[in-house]
Amino acid sequence: MHLQIKQATIGYDKSLISDVHINLNLGDVCLLIGNNGVGKTTLIKSILHQTLLLGGDILINNRNIKTLSVKEIAENIAVVFSKALIPQNYTVEDLISLGKYIYYPYYFELKKEDKQEVSNIIDELDLDQYKHVLLKNLSDGNLQKAFIGRAIAQNSPIIILDEPTTHLDEKNKLIILKTLRKLAKEQNKLILFSSHDWRLAKEFADKIWYVKDTLLYSGIVEDILLQHEELINVSLFQVNERFIAPAIVAPAIHREMLYSLLQKNFQKDLSSFQFDFQDNFWVISHHNTKQQCESFEEIIDYIKNIH
């Protein structure tokens, strides 16, 4: 096991996550999820030895992090936080090149092979056109990609990313996640990244660490998703106290859309209705009648006329 956490208690003055006993191997891609404030970033900082454990141990390649120097931790773990200081007057190429300087004194010039590797990373992340652009002039998404590029250039066996896709559009989100998975599988890296979006796990992660109620649940993605219903059911927010929902039989996304539509437009009891989504039509049952609607606009007009 390359990363091991043994009977650890994680937190500051009080415990946020207790009795953590988990591990990851090189080649694993793991998604860390949980609500805001449950301790995800604190867990990451504990692995980096920036936050001291309240109990237990963390081992990297069978060495306790307590015994590692800052330089040794950097050689073992590259990290990207969601909020980072932006070096002034640095270009994208300068920032990504920084990943190489953990191996050299700052006044050294990078070797030819180092420069080629930086160039390859810039190409992989689709940042060619921004290579010589100052960081302060980048969009949030491209800036995030540049920081991820620096972590990749560090060539550490472990890469940890805190909310790496927060500022990215769908295209760049895919570029990042595909690149991270490729690194894990082709270069035998251990990738741990946090996100609020559990859907990323199904496509890109091998394992999940799920923090809930001060405990950390870990395992194969599909096992953890099926064991925790709240991770796969669409959340339907109750924002209208006078609204009583009907029965809705539909795929999750259609169910969510209809629920939102009805709650916004009707402050009343609709429990006598049933909505079934069949062959791209809504079949509405009410008492002994049935009505077929093709659009949400038709649904609103129909309910207004009969209720």
Side-chain angles (χ1 to χ4, degrees):
M1 303 300 174
H2 201 82
L3 172 62
Q4 296 172 274
I5 304 180
K6 295 185 173 183
Q7 312 309 147
T9 301
I10 290 153
Y12 293 97
D13 297 330
K14 65 176 183 178
S15 170
L16 291 174
I17 313 172
S18 58
D19 196 28
V20 180
H21 193 76
I22 50 179
N23 54 66
L24 291 173
N25 289 308
L26 294 176
D28 285 341
V29 180
C30 181
L31 172 64
L32 170 61
I33 56 175
N35 292 332
N36 284 334
V38 297
K40 299 191 301 296
T41 301
T42 306
L43 173 57
I44 289 173
K45 288 183 176 180
S46 297
I47 294 172
L48 296 168
H49 202 44
Q50 294 177 2
T51 298
L52 299 181
L53 294 173
L54 299 179
D57 294 291
I58 295 177
L59 283 74
I60 298 171
N61 198 21
N62 294 317
R63 294 184 64 191
N64 197 308
I65 59 164
K66 297 173 186 175
T67 68
L68 299 179
S69 67
V70 172
K71 184 175 186 295
E72 286 174 320
I73 291 175
E75 289 172 349
N76 278 280
I77 306 175
V79 62
V80 180
F81 284 109
S82 55
K83 295 179 181 178
L85 292 175
I86 302 172
Q88 291 299 306
N89 302 316
Y90 270 51
T91 65
V92 167
E93 185 178 47
D94 294 334
L95 179 66
I96 294 176
S97 297
L98 277 182
K100 292 295 177 189
Y101 281 99
I102 66 166
Y103 303 103
Y104 307 113
Y106 72 93
Y107 50 82
F108 269 48
E109 185 174 344
L110 294 184
K111 297 177 181 178
K112 182 179 178 180
E113 55 266 33
D114 293 323
K115 292 180 180 180
Q116 183 58 53
E117 189 176 341
V118 168
S119 180
N120 292 343
I121 291 168
I122 289 171
D123 183 61
E124 184 93 23
L125 295 175
D126 198 24
L127 287 171
D128 281 315
Q129 61 182 310
Y130 306 106
K131 184 174 182 177
H132 301 298
V133 174
L134 292 175
L135 299 176
K136 63 184 180 182
N137 295 330
L138 291 177
S139 67
D140 286 344
N142 284 319
L143 181 63
Q144 181 74 334
K145 286 167 68 178
F147 275 105
I148 291 169
R150 182 185 67 177
I152 294 171
Q154 203 167 311
N155 272 341
S156 303
I158 301 173
I159 301 177
I160 298 178
L161 309 101
D162 188 19
E163 298 282 354
T165 60
T166 298
H167 301 297
L168 302 181
D169 58 26
E170 289 301 310
K171 175 191 172 185
N172 285 313
K173 188 180 294 187
L174 287 174
I175 288 173
I176 290 301
L177 294 173
K178 285 180 179 178
T179 300
L180 292 175
R181 187 159 185 85
K182 183 178 178 182
L183 282 169
K185 302 309 173 183
E186 294 184 4
Q187 297 186 29
N188 207 30
K189 305 283 189 184
L190 190 167
I191 309 291
L192 173 63
F193 70 103
S194 66
S195 175
H196 286 91
D197 190 352
W198 60 265
R199 295 171 299 174
L200 299 178
K202 294 197 288 81
E203 311 303 331
F204 297 102
D206 304 303
K207 297 180 179 179
I208 283 183
W209 287 359
Y210 177 34
V211 183
K212 182 179 77 169
D213 300 330
T214 74
L215 296 175
L216 194 153
Y217 300 89
S218 66
I220 296 296
V221 165
E222 290 72 16
D223 285 337
I224 297 299
L225 292 181
L226 290 176
Q227 289 166 12
H228 298 274
E229 189 176 281
E230 69 275 12
L231 293 179
I232 54 176
N233 282 349
V234 176
S235 296
L236 302 178
F237 296 100
Q238 185 72 25
V239 298
N240 184 342
E241 293 180 359
R242 296 175 60 187
F243 174 74
I244 300 178
I248 302 174
V249 179
I253 187 64
H254 293 83
R255 178 170 172 261
E256 181 179 18
M257 294 298 180
L258 180 61
Y259 186 97
S260 300
L261 176 89
L262 296 175
Q263 187 172 210
K264 283 187 294 187
N265 288 280
F266 301 101
Q267 298 189 36
K268 59 181 72 174
D269 182 350
L270 296 183
S271 59
S272 59
F273 288 80
Q274 175 162 327
F275 293 78
D276 293 272
F277 191 69
Q278 302 174 3
D279 299 322
N280 290 320
F281 287 91
W282 288 98
V283 177
I284 307 171
S285 304
H286 182 241
H287 298 316
N288 296 319
T289 65
K290 284 186 182 291
Q291 175 70 25
Q292 183 172 287
C293 293
E294 187 175 1
S295 68
F296 287 128
E297 187 172 1
E298 289 180 19
I299 291 173
I300 292 175
D301 291 339
Y302 173 68
I303 295 175
K304 283 181 177 177
N305 287 332
I306 69 168
H307 202 265

